[in-house]
Amino acid sequence: MCGIAGYIDYTGKAGDTELKKMTDALSYRGPDASGQEVFSLNNATLGLGHRRLSIIDLSPLGKQPMFTPDRSLSIIFNGEIYNYREIREELSAKGHAFISGSDTEVILHAYQQWGDECVKKFTGMFAFAIFDEEKQELFLSRDRAGVKPLYYYQHNGCFLFASELKAFFTYPGFEKAIDPQAFRLYVQYTFVPAPYTIFKHTWKLEPGCSMRVDLKSGNIAQQRYWDVLDYYGQPKQKIGDAEAKEALRQRLIKACEYRMVSDVPVGMFLSGGYDSSLVTALLQSGRSEKIKTFTIGFTDAKYNEAQHAAKVAAHLGTDHHELYCSFDDAKAIIPELPECYDEPFADSSAIPTMLVSRFARKQVTVALSADGGDELFAGYERHAALLGIAAKKDKIPAALRPLAATVLRNTPKTVLNKIFSGNTSADNLAKYLDFLQGKTDLADMIDFANQTAAPDTLAGLFTQAASPGVLFRKNEIRKLPGRLDQLLAFDYLSYLPGDILTKVDRATMHISLEGREPLLDHSLIEWIATLPDEMKYRNGVSKYLLRQIVHDYLPREIMERPKMGFSIPLVNWFRSDLRPLFDEHLSEKSLAAHGLLDHKQVAKLLHEYYSGDNYRFTLLWTLLMFQLWYKKWMQ
């Protein structure tokens, strides 16, 4: 796991100094070594920079940039290729010779053998750049799920790329100009969705995509080499519960074992929920050495999972470690968030994620987590809520739906809460009624469920007009015949890479800890996408098949409890001890620094929140995170 950065400069102004500054900005991603190489070409200068966190082959032979023996190809790479040994054997049989034990060298030779198609061979998480000096081309690629980030910038005679935006901030030609369209998207979703970034002329390479830059012409061509929709669009398997359960178990074991390959200590984030308990059980089963597990606890019982994790760890026999965090611990993290997340990012669970990462880093260099289980097996509460709303709509004859909408509009909130089994704020009720009347479809409802507030509420916040267009390939998702497939595909393409994987990558790499995600092995989603719906969500039970496997390792009485999110009680703290943060950074004076938000509308939201409306907290937290980011990076 590492950090990469580079440039193509057509102005002749960039050199070693600029490249070193870009690379050093990512030093925490790779504290063990650094390397830079500058190529002077006919019409451009190319720089490749690398910061190394040594995980596999700790020797100097793993140094990057790495070259083929004839120096015709060079690579910088961030990530892990878990099946590199199998690929190496295949390449050796074709006559390739290796001098190191690193997966980086395998990528380089795989590209030499198969060209662009090499990425289809890789099982892993990756973002890399390969320079072909003979062809004068730069090839960049990102893993299928989007575990590893890759940003790029093209403007004013330069092309920049890096693992994080802050590498661009050091480059003299980079313009930090906020894109109003991306800003609206951030406020809407709590993160800036790919391919956008918060800045103009700056983009994210989307998951499952590759890019080729022709240095002679400056032309850029992108291609999608892998698409989750290809698998959700296939016919469902005809398979029974017992056969499916065992097939899934074997696939999970293989994915987990791949991610134990390391020359440094490995641990596991354990929350005590089904996903992390499953991965821990599969890893510990059959091992004499105890897996190190790490848990963060909170004194507020509503948010505390530590006691559940401890029971799981005790039953499985892991080497368990837990840390209870206080209000002061969490409060101290908030000012650090903009440094860690150099693009506005507002998932508040970044706080406990940073805390548990720091705790684990004291003992291990690699930590596995179980992200992806909710996206694979319909584990989020919104999945059940949306399926329930769609089912209720089906029961109402089309001719009676306008009347039903009128009745619901005048129904007391206590009754609505029972009908919809969830939050029935004015924003949410408006979404439900539009869906009931046919003004929106399920794809729109899924989209709305991931937003901070209704479009009408958000529209009044902004001082600059911008049209976000259609995101997350929603029109393609609409074509999927199954409702559950639409739900899961949308989250896999949006919330998973934009929120979850961004959160974990920055929190872990900020303290030089490599995070690995076994449930995001592409072979799993390719197979699970074609499972019958009832094996994922059956009679109101989410993660049906996954739960059956967990119960083989852990008693039901330990596991069967209400789902808890990985969060802290911020919604209460900001009405008391943390209120000064809202009052200062969301004030008219602070908002005037950029002029992107209507201060009167923000003041209205604050008043509603202080008056007891918890629904407004997520939107206000999102605005606060932007304000802190702006102060850190733009002022």
Side-chain angles (χ1 to χ4, degrees):
M1 187 70 67
C2 308
I4 63 173
Y7 65 76
I8 303 172
D9 177 69
Y10 296 97
T11 68
K13 297 178 181 178
D16 293 330
T17 301
E18 288 75 16
L19 181 60
K20 189 175 187 306
K21 287 180 179 179
M22 291 180 71
T23 308
D24 286 350
L26 307 176
S27 59
Y28 50 82
R29 294 186 73 97
D32 298 330
S34 65
Q36 295 86 36
E37 191 77 24
V38 174
F39 302 81
S40 296
L41 310 171
N42 290 334
N43 64 330
T45 304
L46 169 71
L48 299 179
H50 186 260
R51 294 293 310 212
R52 186 183 184 196
L53 177 63
S54 301
I55 302 293
I56 294 175
D57 188 351
L58 310 185
S59 77
L61 293 175
K63 186 182 187 311
Q64 300 181 42
M66 184 179 288
F67 295 82
T68 51
D70 62 0
R71 296 185 68 86
S72 62
L73 298 176
S74 51
I75 183 174
I76 49 175
F77 163 52
N78 169 32
E80 302 288 351
I81 305 300
Y82 301 117
N83 64 333
Y84 76 99
R85 289 171 176 164
E86 295 98 303
I87 299 172
R88 177 176 171 141
E89 288 181 7
E90 184 178 356
L91 289 166
S92 295
K94 294 179 181 294
H96 290 259
F98 295 86
I99 62 172
S100 78
S102 72
D103 52 349
T104 308
E105 189 179 11
V106 171
I107 299 174
L108 202 53
H109 283 267
Y111 182 80
Q112 194 173 37
Q113 179 68 39
W114 296 298
D116 298 10
E117 295 293 300
C118 70
V119 294
K120 297 180 180 180
K121 293 274 189 178
F122 303 150
T123 294
M125 53 181 184
F126 54 84
F128 63 80
I130 294 177
F131 175 50
D132 186 324
E133 188 162 9
E134 181 180 349
K135 293 182 179 179
Q136 298 283 283
E137 291 179 344
L138 185 71
F139 178 73
L140 304 102
S141 192
R142 190 177 178 200
D143 67 71
R144 297 167 180 83
V147 179
K148 291 293 100 186
L150 189 58
Y151 294 84
Y152 66 97
Y153 169 85
Q154 187 182 30
H155 189 55
N156 287 341
C158 72
F159 176 89
L160 310 177
F161 64 94
S163 299
E164 296 183 29
L165 285 174
K166 59 171 63 73
F168 297 167
F169 300 165
T170 70
Y171 195 85
F174 179 71
E175 294 183 6
K176 287 199 291 186
I178 290 177
D179 182 347
Q181 181 181 13
F183 173 66
R184 290 173 72 102
L185 291 172
Y186 161 72
V187 175
Q188 193 172 355
Y189 293 103
T190 73
F191 59 89
V192 181
Y196 299 96
T197 76
I198 194 63
F199 296 116
K200 295 179 180 178
H201 316 298
T202 312
W203 310 92
K204 300 178 181 82
L205 183 62
E206 293 187 69
C209 289
S210 299
M211 172 190 293
R212 183 172 296 282
V213 184
D214 186 330
L215 276 72
K216 298 186 294 292
S217 65
N219 292 336
I220 294 177
Q222 289 196 37
Q223 64 173 357
R224 191 180 302 279
Y225 68 85
W226 184 87
D227 191 350
V228 73
L229 296 184
D230 289 343
Y231 300 93
Y232 277 114
Q234 292 180 12
K236 298 301 182 185
Q237 300 178 51
K238 295 180 179 179
I239 189 172
D241 282 6
E243 182 184 356
K245 176 183 172 183
E246 190 53 36
L248 176 59
R249 187 201 312 270
Q250 295 307 316
R251 283 171 168 80
L252 288 167
I253 290 172
K254 184 177 181 180
C256 289
E257 289 301 324
Y258 261 148
R259 285 151 184 84
M260 289 299 288
V261 176
S262 173
D263 294 329
V264 295
V266 179
M268 175 73 201
F269 293 151
L270 176 62
S271 69
Y274 270 93
D275 300 339
S276 65
S277 297
L278 170 65
V279 174
T280 304
L282 294 176
L283 291 174
Q284 190 60 73
S285 179
R287 271 192 169 82
S288 56
E289 179 185 357
K290 292 187 174 184
I291 297 292
K292 291 182 180 293
T293 51
F294 302 92
T295 297
I296 289 288
F298 296 96
T299 53
D300 189 327
K302 183 180 178 182
Y303 297 85
N304 184 40
E305 290 188 291
Q307 72 273 26
H308 303 297
K311 291 178 182 178
V312 171
H315 187 86
L316 296 176
T318 71
D319 178 12
H320 190 57
H321 307 268
E322 63 180 32
L323 175 69
Y324 271 78
C325 294
S326 66
F327 165 80
D328 289 335
D329 294 325
K331 180 182 178 181
I333 290 287
I334 294 175
E336 298 181 35
L337 291 173
E339 172 66 34
C340 182
Y341 298 87
D342 53 12
E343 181 174 58
F345 183 76
D347 185 339
S348 61
S349 66
I351 295 174
T353 304
M354 289 181 68
L355 290 169
V356 74
S357 297
R358 290 180 178 180
F359 181 46
R361 185 62 178 89
K362 295 176 181 179
Q363 297 193 51
V364 299
T365 312
V366 174
L368 277 65
S369 60
D371 298 309
D374 291 316
E375 287 78 8
L376 295 178
F377 280 97
Y380 291 122
E381 291 180 1
R382 63 176 175 270
H383 294 151
L386 289 170
L387 290 171
I389 290 167
K392 289 180 174 68
K393 178 182 177 179
D394 289 344
K395 294 179 181 179
I396 303 174
L400 297 180
R401 288 171 187 168
L403 176 61
T406 301
V407 172
L408 288 171
R409 191 173 286 109
N410 297 286
T411 299
K413 186 173 181 179
T414 53
V415 178
L416 290 174
N417 281 334
K418 293 180 180 178
I419 294 174
F420 293 114
S421 303
N423 191 319
T424 49
S425 65
D427 282 2
N428 279 340
L429 180 60
K431 298 173 190 175
Y432 301 154
L433 297 182
D434 283 347
F435 179 59
L436 180 61
Q437 294 176 285
K439 296 178 181 179
T440 59
D441 60 11
L442 182 63
D444 291 322
M445 284 295 290
I446 299 167
D447 195 0
F448 292 155
N450 285 272
Q451 297 180 24
T452 55
D456 290 345
T457 301
L458 293 174
L461 279 173
F462 305 108
T463 59
Q464 298 183 31
S467 176
V470 179
L471 286 170
F472 310 129
R473 305 170 67 196
K474 194 160 68 173
N475 288 335
E476 295 175 70
I477 289 173
R478 282 191 172 99
K479 297 176 183 178
L480 295 174
R483 286 175 173 171
L484 188 62
D485 284 350
Q486 288 188 30
L487 281 168
L488 300 181
F490 188 93
D491 273 344
Y492 197 92
L493 292 171
S494 60
Y495 183 69
L496 177 66
D499 186 303
I500 300 298
L501 299 182
T502 299
K503 174 185 67 179
V504 175
D505 176 79
R506 301 309 188 279
T508 53
M509 292 308 299
H510 196 65
I511 42 86
S512 307
L513 177 71
E514 174 171 296
R516 295 181 176 181
E517 310 279 1
L519 298 186
L520 294 180
D521 191 299
H522 71 276
S523 66
L524 284 173
I525 184 63
E526 290 174 359
W527 186 78
I528 292 169
T530 63
L531 280 177
D533 289 356
E534 61 269 19
M535 292 188 179
K536 305 168 194 175
Y537 188 83
R538 182 178 299 187
N539 299 327
V541 177
S542 65
K543 303 182 182 178
Y544 178 80
L545 198 59
L546 186 148
R547 288 172 186 261
Q548 307 317 305
I549 298 175
V550 174
H551 294 155
D552 288 344
Y553 299 91
L554 289 154
R556 290 178 180 269
E557 55 268 25
I558 291 181
M559 298 307 305
E560 291 185 345
R561 58 183 177 82
K563 180 180 176 66
M564 298 175 68
F566 192 37
S567 58
I568 53 179
L570 291 176
V571 68
N572 300 322
W573 291 349
F574 271 87
R575 287 199 182 98
S576 53
D577 300 81
L578 294 181
R579 177 168 177 163
L581 284 174
F582 272 173
D583 292 341
E584 175 187 354
H585 296 289
L586 299 182
S587 67
E588 180 179 357
K589 179 181 178 181
S590 293
L591 295 173
H594 49 71
L596 293 168
L597 293 164
D598 185 323
H599 69 88
K600 292 181 180 179
Q601 292 299 316
V602 176
K604 179 183 176 183
L605 292 172
L606 277 171
H607 175 74
E608 292 172 357
Y609 166 67
Y610 289 147
S611 298
D613 186 354
N614 287 346
Y615 180 72
R616 294 302 181 203
F617 175 76
T618 298
L619 180 53
L620 289 168
W621 171 260
T622 302
L623 299 181
L624 174 65
M625 287 300 99
F626 178 80
Q627 291 296 97
L628 293 177
W629 172 87
Y630 189 88
K631 184 177 181 180
K632 166 67 180 177
W633 295 110
M634 302 297 290
Q635 289 185 320

